[in-house]
Amino acid sequence: MAKFKQVPQTFLYRKLLEYWGNMVQNYRSDCQDDDFFDIIRNCFDHDKAVELIEAAYSPKELEEMQHAKLRSSRLDLSDSLDDVFQALWNHERMRDKCRIVLDAIREYMVAESVKGGVDVVEKRFRELKRVLKLSDLEAEVLMVAYVRSQTCFSWPCRVEDREKPLYYAMALDRSYGEVTKVMTAKGKLRKFDILDNDWDFNCRTLGNFMDGTDGEAIERRFYKRCEDKDILPWDFYGELSKKDGEILRQMISASKGKCNILLYGAPGTGKTSFARTLAKELGRTAWEIKQGDDDGKNMKSEARMMGIQICNDQEEPGESLMIVDEADELLRGSSCGFSIFGFDMGGKSTEKGVMNSILDEMKIPTVWISNAPSRAMDESVRRRFDYSICFERMNNAQRVNIWKNLVKKHELGALLPEEKIDEYAGKYETSAGGISTVLANVKQMKPSPEKVDELVAKLMKPHCKLMGVKEGNRFLPAKGYSLDGLNIKGKVKLDRVVKAVRNYLDADSNEASEDKPRMNVLLFGPPGTGKTEFVKYLGKTLDRKVLVVKGSDLLSKWVGESEQNIASAFRQAEAEHAILFFDEVDGLVQSRDSAHASWEVTQVNELLQQMENFDGVMVAATNFCKNLDAAIMRRFTFKLEFDYLDDDGKRVFFEKMFKSALSDEEFAELKDIPNLAPGDFRTVRQEQFYLGDEQTNMGRIAALKEECALKKDGSKTSHIGFAA
């Protein structure tokens, strides 16, 4: 028996010999790389190799090779074995004898290697093949790649990446066509990132699993069982559980397996918790596809897709519900990519065809959760969902319900009575997750009843700031505000508009919607002329909340999301019975005649449609009325032009703001100031308040002149919107 170096007799070693032997048999060209013979140098005894060589070749042949003219063909049996066999191989006329020696060495190695039993690598290899449902050939290709990454096994020459499938075929003793078929980008090995794009083993994906460093089952590397401890009760979701829950219950029960459900919308609106609660309500085990590994690193999309397939194959369809959270990149598809206002920015995303195939092949009911708008997904992906729910930002009634349920859950009813809940729900417009976090901390900190209000404020305010959430409804008019003094052009006065809106709101709610006139009001004119203050006054006078939406707030980088944001604003206003106020509307709906992109047109079309169907009061304000689309203009019941103050208005606002009567001389000075607006009086009053100096009327008039002078050169007053 041959003398071997101290090489472990393992499954890895046996596979190394098998693939190397096949390479020896199948390689027919000149071998230019010493690495091909490294396995002999690393694993076999030098003296025994020389003995086999001397037995295969005649003394005359050995002498001839020892005196060869070319250095690459000159044989020196005292050299390292890789050099010895490279020299033998380079004598093409006697290469068959070299193959005989190499086969003999391999037989000796194989005979010795069978002493090794089943080890961890072999167990893991079998498990991976079983779980991923790899074919025999796919499994062997994977093993060749793994052997190459862990041993001295190399290709017989330095090859380009595109040539590697050929050498995989030689190592496996299979045809080139068979091997390339399982090594395509759409095959399991590359689709799930087991082989990288260079056809090499991806150690990052499965390295720790194959070598036994990670003792966790392959399934648990990619998905986990959802624990029941933090799952909210079904009635927590109110109308959502009643309306959509029953449909989902019937759909999943009837599907007998395959059922793709999409939950999409703004972050923090309860999509994930709803999916978990749904699983519990249906009596199913919830399996969540992991987003990161144990080291806290985010998983690539390919690895998550592998987890989806494994879960789909391993778990029982009638007893399980799969949850794929943060599925935005998976669902987006390569044809959508990343876009800003309709321009493709070429962002990385999963191949659309692969995603479609996975959706079609699902056996387990699956909930897909995305923060992106539905239109960010390719149409072919969207139409594969059996049911979808859009989660919008909560209105006040929904927040009240969340507060009540969470107060009950955390047993804080004694500290937070219903009147406090109503106050907090209106003041802190945050998500269910934010409310839950704050209440959990309140429970842990155990404040006294008189301190609970202060503690909630201390916890909620930084949370709202962190999340970019507006705190409270502070959209209220200035103290003592009235309509007196405003310069409104046209025949319709503001008090009549207020009365008309009141009558609209008081109208019989049973009146046929299609016959009921719409109440859309446009306020336009220069900045500071009182448009926004009038909307505040309208809300207070009519005892209605004002939902403020700026045109810039609705614009999105995603094609189609701006339209969804517009529709969502109207739905929220309707749900809360609020006055919907579009500030800076010119930034959202310019004339379609000047549009440069399709999304500019679709935004206008969406607003037109919503205005037609809106059963409520909508007010829009702009500094640039001429830029608005003509069709939008026709949909406003009232169009009110706010202009700079006339002489009477100047007196009214001066005496109202400064609590001081004007002399004739002072009034004459005030009248000479052009382009004076109500906002200018407030600015001057604020400046003088903080300065703390005693001011005369003439001093105030001088300050107003200075303020208006700044408007002319634009150094202080900036226009909002696209127009100059």
Side-chain angles (χ1 to χ4, degrees):
M1 187 61 68
K3 298 178 181 179
F4 291 89
K5 298 184 178 180
Q6 296 300 312
V7 179
Q9 307 304 302
T10 62
F11 177 70
L12 182 66
Y13 178 67
R14 294 195 296 273
K15 284 295 181 181
L16 166 65
L17 295 176
E18 177 186 338
Y19 302 144
W20 183 80
N22 289 336
M23 290 293 296
V24 171
Q25 294 175 6
N26 293 316
Y27 194 70
R28 294 290 182 264
S29 304
D30 288 342
C31 186
Q32 302 296 329
D33 195 334
D34 293 346
D35 291 344
F36 185 50
F37 302 104
D38 272 353
I39 188 172
I40 305 174
R41 179 180 55 140
N42 284 282
C43 303
F44 203 69
D45 182 75
H46 185 278
D47 292 341
K48 183 61 182 180
V50 171
E51 180 183 327
L52 292 172
I53 292 170
E54 290 176 338
Y57 291 88
S58 67
K60 184 178 180 181
E61 289 171 330
L62 290 173
E63 184 179 0
E64 179 184 336
M65 290 187 289
Q66 289 169 352
H67 294 91
K69 294 181 179 180
L70 296 176
R71 179 67 184 93
S72 60
S73 304
R74 192 177 301 150
L75 177 65
D76 186 345
L77 295 176
S78 64
D79 285 343
S80 62
L81 288 182
D82 54 332
D83 288 338
V84 169
F85 279 94
Q86 185 67 64
L88 292 173
W89 188 267
N90 288 341
H91 287 270
E92 190 173 352
R93 182 169 54 86
M94 294 181 282
R95 187 170 293 169
D96 287 342
K97 291 187 176 182
C98 181
R99 292 184 190 277
I100 293 172
V101 178
L102 291 172
D103 285 341
I105 290 176
R106 177 174 174 270
E107 289 175 6
Y108 276 116
M109 291 180 176
V110 171
E112 187 70 13
S113 71
V114 296
K115 297 179 181 179
V118 177
D119 58 20
V120 64
V121 174
E122 186 171 5
K123 290 179 180 178
R124 292 299 175 88
F125 174 68
R126 292 175 180 176
E127 184 179 358
L128 194 62
K129 181 182 177 182
R130 174 186 61 81
V131 170
L132 295 182
K133 297 187 181 306
L134 300 178
S135 67
D136 291 342
L137 182 55
E138 287 173 327
E140 288 299 331
V141 169
L142 166 63
M143 198 62 206
V144 172
Y146 183 67
V147 167
R148 289 197 63 246
S149 72
Q150 300 297 309
T151 70
C152 57
F153 178 52
S154 302
W155 304 132
C157 64
R158 303 194 186 278
V159 300
E160 299 289 337
D161 289 332
R162 65 179 181 274
E163 298 171 320
K164 287 182 179 178
L166 172 63
Y167 296 101
Y168 272 93
M170 291 181 182
L172 293 171
D173 197 24
R174 302 289 290 267
S175 73
Y176 176 76
E178 288 179 296
V179 173
T180 54
K181 189 175 180 179
V182 303
M183 294 179 70
T184 63
K186 294 184 178 181
K188 288 183 179 180
L189 297 176
R190 290 181 61 197
K191 181 170 70 176
F192 297 130
D193 211 27
I194 301 173
L195 298 185
D196 60 25
N197 290 332
D198 296 329
W199 293 283
D200 294 323
F201 182 78
N202 195 335
C203 294
R204 189 185 62 81
T205 302
L206 291 172
N208 291 339
F209 173 78
M210 285 293 290
D211 64 17
T213 305
D214 187 346
E216 190 177 41
I218 184 67
E219 296 95 326
R220 301 298 168 260
R221 292 173 59 85
F222 299 99
Y223 67 94
K224 62 182 180 180
R225 182 169 183 162
C226 177
E227 301 295 333
D228 291 345
K229 59 180 181 178
D230 295 324
I231 295 178
L232 298 171
W234 186 238
D235 59 4
F236 178 87
Y237 297 95
E239 287 299 316
L240 183 64
S241 59
K242 295 177 184 177
K243 182 182 68 173
D244 298 287
E246 187 57 34
I247 296 174
L248 290 175
R249 187 195 307 274
Q250 296 176 13
M251 183 176 290
I252 292 173
S253 299
S255 68
K256 299 180 180 180
K258 178 181 177 296
C259 185
N260 289 304
I261 301 159
L262 176 65
L263 309 182
Y264 67 100
T269 49
K271 300 184 294 294
T272 304
S273 61
F274 177 80
R276 294 169 178 171
T277 301
L278 175 64
K280 186 175 182 179
E281 180 68 12
L282 296 173
R284 291 173 173 258
T285 302
W287 300 103
E288 296 189 30
I289 304 301
K290 289 185 176 182
Q291 301 175 49
D293 57 24
D294 295 336
D295 296 328
K297 298 179 180 178
N298 290 334
M299 284 186 171
K300 292 178 64 177
S301 296
E302 293 82 359
R304 298 194 73 204
M305 291 175 71
M306 186 194 301
I308 293 169
Q309 176 159 316
I310 295 172
C311 182
N312 191 49
D313 290 336
Q314 295 297 304
E315 306 304 331
E316 178 58 43
E319 300 174 0
S320 305
L321 183 74
M322 192 190 315
I323 300 174
V324 188
D325 205 354
E326 301 293 340
D328 304 55
E329 186 174 355
L330 296 175
L331 297 174
R332 202 159 60 232
S334 59
S335 66
C336 294
F338 177 75
S339 65
I340 299 177
F341 301 124
F343 297 98
D344 187 8
M345 304 304 290
K348 183 181 184 303
S349 57
T350 307
E351 186 178 353
K352 179 183 64 175
V354 175
M355 190 68 249
N356 291 346
S357 173
I358 287 179
L359 288 168
D360 290 339
E361 296 169 2
M362 296 303 296
K363 302 174 184 175
I364 295 177
T366 303
V367 178
W368 304 79
I369 301 173
S370 171
N371 294 326
S374 62
R375 295 188 186 183
M377 308 169 199
D378 191 275
E379 184 180 354
S380 65
V381 174
R382 278 181 280 156
R383 61 181 171 83
R384 281 172 164 82
F385 289 102
D386 301 284
Y387 197 74
S388 63
I389 304 175
C390 179
F391 283 68
E392 298 176 313
R393 297 196 181 277
M394 295 183 293
N395 57 45
N396 189 72
Q398 291 171 323
R399 285 195 300 275
V400 169
N401 184 58
I402 297 292
W403 274 95
K404 287 181 178 179
N405 279 289
L406 288 174
V407 165
K408 182 180 179 180
K409 177 186 176 183
H410 293 293
E411 301 177 338
L412 294 171
L415 292 175
L416 295 168
E418 285 198 12
E419 58 268 21
K420 278 293 178 185
I421 289 175
D422 291 338
E423 178 187 336
Y424 295 150
K427 189 174 183 180
Y428 306 113
E429 299 179 1
T430 186
S431 66
I435 299 170
S436 180
T437 300
V438 167
L439 289 180
N441 283 308
V442 169
K443 181 179 181 179
Q444 188 175 1
M445 298 171 75
K446 300 177 181 178
S448 59
E450 61 272 12
K451 293 288 187 180
V452 68
D453 198 54
E454 180 183 352
L455 179 59
V456 170
K458 286 182 177 179
L459 294 172
M460 265 299 179
K461 286 183 177 181
H463 170 77
C464 289
K465 185 177 181 179
L466 176 66
M467 302 305 294
V469 175
K470 295 178 182 177
E471 180 191 336
N473 184 12
R474 298 184 179 182
F475 200 73
L476 298 171
K479 189 176 181 180
Y481 177 85
S482 72
L483 304 180
D484 298 336
L486 293 174
N487 185 14
I488 310 302
K489 293 187 176 182
K491 60 182 180 180
V492 183
K493 302 301 181 184
L494 289 182
D495 57 344
R496 294 190 65 189
V497 174
V498 174
K499 184 179 180 180
V501 175
R502 186 189 301 276
N503 291 338
Y504 173 86
L505 295 173
D506 292 341
D508 186 3
S509 60
N510 295 323
E511 185 178 346
S513 179
E514 59 268 21
D515 298 329
K516 188 177 181 181
R518 302 302 173 213
M519 184 53 69
N520 302 317
V521 182
L522 176 66
L523 314 178
F524 65 97
T529 50
K531 301 183 294 295
T532 301
E533 283 297 318
F534 172 69
V535 181
K536 295 178 180 179
Y537 171 84
L538 188 65
K540 184 178 181 182
T541 302
L542 301 176
D543 194 25
R544 291 288 180 120
K545 176 183 176 180
V546 179
L547 179 62
V548 184
V549 181
K550 289 190 176 183
S552 56
D553 295 338
L554 299 178
L555 294 176
S556 170
K557 66 185 179 182
W558 298 104
V559 175
E561 187 172 12
S562 298
E563 291 86 338
Q564 291 192 17
N565 292 341
I566 293 170
S568 177
F570 279 93
R571 286 195 297 269
Q572 185 179 351
E574 234 177 52
E576 299 186 18
H577 304 288
I579 295 172
L580 179 58
F581 177 40
F582 277 93
D583 200 7
E584 304 170 11
V585 72
D586 51 281
L588 183 68
V589 286
Q590 295 186 90
S591 174
R592 287 170 291 185
D593 294 337
S594 60
H596 298 289
S598 60
W599 56 267
E600 295 176 295
V601 176
T602 58
Q603 286 171 188
V604 176
N605 293 340
E606 182 65 34
L607 185 61
L608 286 170
Q609 182 180 347
Q610 294 297 332
M611 290 174 69
E612 285 290 331
N613 298 326
F614 183 49
D615 189 17
V617 178
M618 173 204 163
V619 184
T622 176
N623 300 330
F624 307 101
C625 179
K626 293 181 180 180
N627 294 344
L628 297 183
D629 190 89
I632 293 286
M633 293 292 292
R634 291 195 298 270
R635 271 105 171 147
F636 288 106
T637 309
F638 298 103
K639 306 176 188 65
L640 304 175
E641 182 179 1
F642 285 66
D643 203 354
Y644 294 116
L645 298 174
D646 58 20
D647 291 345
D648 290 339
K650 293 175 183 178
R651 180 189 289 275
V652 169
F653 272 91
F654 189 98
E655 295 181 351
K656 185 191 302 183
M657 289 288 184
F658 301 120
K659 311 296 183 187
S660 179
L662 289 165
S663 67
D664 291 343
E665 182 184 358
E666 291 164 346
F667 184 44
E669 286 289 328
L670 183 65
K671 288 195 297 182
D672 287 340
I673 303 176
N675 300 333
L676 194 57
D680 301 325
F681 289 91
R682 176 174 292 181
T683 300
V684 171
R685 187 178 69 172
Q686 290 175 339
E687 290 176 351
Q688 295 184 354
F689 174 82
Y690 289 112
L691 289 173
D693 300 333
E694 288 290 333
Q695 294 290 331
T696 64
N697 284 349
M698 292 303 290
R700 293 162 179 155
I701 292 170
L704 289 167
K705 285 182 179 180
E706 183 182 348
E707 188 71 19
C708 288
L710 291 173
K711 290 183 189 180
K712 294 180 180 181
D713 60 17
S715 61
K716 193 164 188 176
T717 301
S718 59
H719 290 165
I720 303 172
F722 293 126

